[in-house]
Amino acid sequence: MPRGCSIALGVWIAAVVCGVIAFIVYAVNQPDPFSTPAAGSSTSAPAVVDVQASTPNAGSAAQRLADLDGDTQPVSAYQAALDALAPKCTQDEANIAGLGDAGYNDLVKNGVTDETRLTVLQHLDASMPSSLGKTDCTSILSAYLVLREQG
């Protein structure tokens, strides 16, 4: 490999590693949008639209993501994205949904405004071949975010 290519590859790997670390630090410091605040807690939770009890997906991770995105896409699209990632990720559905939310928030924080929580999940799914097997989706999402934020 030419010396210039190996230097560029090293810089790219360093950027991805820094992005992974930054994302993990960011995600750990964010409140869980899917948890119920404790009684008497002054922590404000994200606004969640009140869904009628008769709705089949009331309270589901897919419903909450759809609500956070302003209900612009059907809940079934969010559920399909979560279902597609379930066999690929070591995380459970609630944590995969949390990754979609944290990834979206990270993109917006860094000036990328053409995504929704749904598209973050769909792009995460598209970034992972099914032959990869179960893996920690946090690292894959982090790499995706670095690439998106660099333009």
Side-chain angles (χ1 to χ4, degrees):
M1 178 182 307
R3 180 169 165 74
C5 289
S6 62
I7 291 172
L9 180 61
V11 170
W12 182 83
I13 290 171
V16 169
V17 169
C18 287
V20 168
I21 292 169
F23 175 73
I24 291 170
V25 168
Y26 171 79
V28 166
N29 290 317
Q30 296 302 305
D32 181 3
F34 301 106
S35 66
T36 305
S41 171
S42 63
T43 305
S44 62
V48 176
V49 176
D50 187 21
V51 180
Q52 294 179 355
S54 62
T55 304
N57 293 317
S60 71
Q63 179 66 59
R64 288 183 234 163
L65 287 172
D67 291 345
L68 288 169
D69 274 345
D71 293 313
T72 58
Q73 297 293 320
V75 174
S76 60
Y78 291 85
Q79 190 61 56
L82 292 169
D83 290 345
L85 286 165
K88 296 180 177 182
C89 298
T90 56
Q91 290 84 356
D92 63 14
E93 184 174 279
N95 286 318
I96 295 169
L99 288 174
D101 183 54
Y104 167 80
N105 289 330
D106 184 71
L107 289 171
V108 170
K109 177 182 170 188
N110 288 289
V112 179
T113 59
D114 63 344
E115 296 253 16
T116 64
R117 289 161 185 87
L118 176 60
T119 61
V120 168
L121 292 174
Q122 290 170 334
H123 292 144
L124 176 59
D125 178 44
S127 300
M128 302 175 66
S130 55
S131 61
L132 185 62
K134 279 197 178 272
T135 192
D136 181 354
C137 286
T138 306
S139 58
I140 306 297
L141 178 63
S142 296
Y144 172 74
L145 295 175
V146 168
L147 293 173
R148 276 303 321 255
E149 291 163 7
Q150 290 179 350

